[in-house]
Amino acid sequence: MAGTGANTLARAEQFIWLTARVLEQRRFAHGFLGGGPDAVETALSAYLNEDGGYGHALEPDLRGPVSQPLHTAHALSVLDSIGRCDGQRVERICRYLTDVSTKEGALPALLPTQRGYPAAPFIPIVDDPPAELLATGPVVGLLHGNQVWHAWLFRATDFCWSAVDALEQSHPYEVEAAIAFLDGAPDRARAEAAADRLGRLVREQRLAVLDPSRTADYPVATGYAPGEHHFPHDYARTPGSLARRWFTDEELERSLDHLAAGQQDDGGWPVTWRRWAPGTALEGRPLVTLRALETLRSYGRPLG
């Protein structure tokens, strides 16, 4: 690892230009070089399908052209990052979400239409997939955070509340989905109470590495890749997140130090999840790099 330094952003920029898809190049230019949002939205439109969903490996671990909820959630996060979660573009997405929801009115992680196309082995394809907080929580939280009102949100929000309230044993990605929902949920008092309980669960079940110098002492969730740990900054990606309250200043600073030190010699950050195909790891690293830069910047860390 190369560690951190005054040229963090310059080195990351070289990595992005060398390896990233056009979409991530445009996102980097918008986020860090003063580029406009139109170019980001134009690049994103290449992944849009006629059904209003997104496909074409927008989420790199799902290959093929078909629309999937995880791709569409990814698209929403891109639109959110450029301030365009509104109008007809989001109305179209919400119609797609309505069409693919389960009887509970919420989203499965993966529709059976993925069958026949390559997909990560850790995302199973089943004929009647259940609704999952993992897929639904970030979408509902983001739409509420942008003051979007659509009929789809009523039942989906109820599903998320029920799923969060029922959490007793969990794993890091599900907790990330839960906090993404709670950060945007309109009922702030209920969200704060639920987040407090969730934070206690994270600490009790040791789902966050609080001391990066002793990472090996923390368990890795079942089914995760060796070394696929999560840290305070993975939950509290901005100071305004409810998850920020889960960690002391010292714990968060250690976490951010660890994140900054993770920049590799080529300027990018590594993926930690299971690598199952060469292209997915290559496409995933620019996404991880953008997230690392955004997190460090949100906490005021110098990027150079």
Side-chain angles (χ1 to χ4, degrees):
M1 293 186 182
T4 187
N7 61 346
T8 297
L9 186 61
R11 291 168 52 232
E13 180 179 358
Q14 289 301 305
F15 173 78
I16 292 292
W17 296 137
L18 179 66
T19 68
R21 303 180 295 189
V22 171
L23 176 58
E24 282 72 54
Q25 292 180 27
R26 295 299 199 178
R27 288 182 61 197
F28 179 84
H30 173 264
F32 297 95
L33 303 176
D38 288 349
V40 179
E41 190 166 4
T42 298
L44 180 63
S45 68
Y47 299 87
L48 177 64
N49 286 321
E50 291 182 1
D51 61 5
Y54 288 76
H56 305 278
L58 177 56
E59 188 65 38
D61 280 326
L62 299 177
R63 316 305 291 183
V66 294
S67 297
Q68 290 291 342
L70 290 178
H71 292 312
T72 305
H74 189 133
L76 273 171
S77 72
V78 173
L79 292 171
D80 176 62
S81 72
I82 60 173
R84 292 195 170 175
C85 267
D86 56 15
Q88 289 299 311
R89 59 176 69 83
V90 172
E91 174 66 30
R92 178 176 57 195
I93 287 174
C94 287
R95 286 200 300 269
Y96 167 79
L97 298 176
T98 302
D99 290 342
V100 301
S101 289
T102 66
K103 62 181 181 298
E104 297 94 345
L107 299 173
L110 190 63
L111 301 169
T113 51
Q114 184 66 34
R115 190 172 282 117
Y117 298 104
F122 46 81
I123 310 177
I125 303 173
V126 298
D127 289 332
D128 189 20
E132 294 191 22
L133 178 63
L134 192 68
T136 312
V139 172
V140 174
L142 190 151
L143 291 174
H144 280 308
N146 282 276
Q147 288 79 52
V148 172
W149 292 105
H150 188 275
W152 177 79
L153 277 167
F154 290 101
R155 294 180 66 209
T157 301
D158 288 342
F159 170 85
C160 289
W161 278 124
S162 295
V164 169
D165 289 343
L167 282 181
E168 293 182 358
Q169 292 288 327
S170 192
H171 59 92
Y173 290 121
E174 187 174 51
V175 173
E176 286 185 21
I179 197 65
F181 164 67
L182 294 173
D183 278 343
D187 188 339
R188 299 314 298 156
R190 185 177 180 183
E192 290 184 12
D196 287 345
R197 188 183 72 84
L198 194 59
R200 290 193 295 273
L201 181 150
V202 165
R203 298 185 76 92
E204 290 166 1
Q205 298 180 18
R206 305 183 74 215
L207 300 182
V209 176
L210 302 180
D211 184 354
S213 68
R214 303 182 62 181
T215 299
D217 293 345
Y218 290 82
V220 174
T222 302
Y224 284 31
E228 191 176 357
H229 291 96
H230 286 65
F231 298 84
H233 67 262
D234 290 311
Y235 302 108
R237 292 181 184 164
T238 68
S241 172
L242 290 173
R244 172 63 186 88
R245 306 177 188 183
W246 300 350
F247 309 107
T248 67
D249 291 348
E250 183 181 9
E251 289 167 348
L252 186 66
E253 287 303 309
R254 284 200 300 255
S255 182
L256 293 171
D257 287 344
H258 177 76
L259 176 62
Q263 188 177 28
Q264 298 188 318
D265 290 338
D266 61 6
W269 272 259
V271 299
T272 58
W273 59 86
R274 197 175 302 278
R275 299 166 180 82
W276 61 278
T280 61
L282 182 66
E283 292 177 359
R285 286 193 66 206
L287 292 167
V288 173
T289 297
L290 282 170
R291 179 177 293 175
L293 293 172
E294 290 164 354
T295 299
L296 291 168
R297 181 174 62 183
S298 75
Y299 281 98
R301 289 295 185 100
L303 299 177

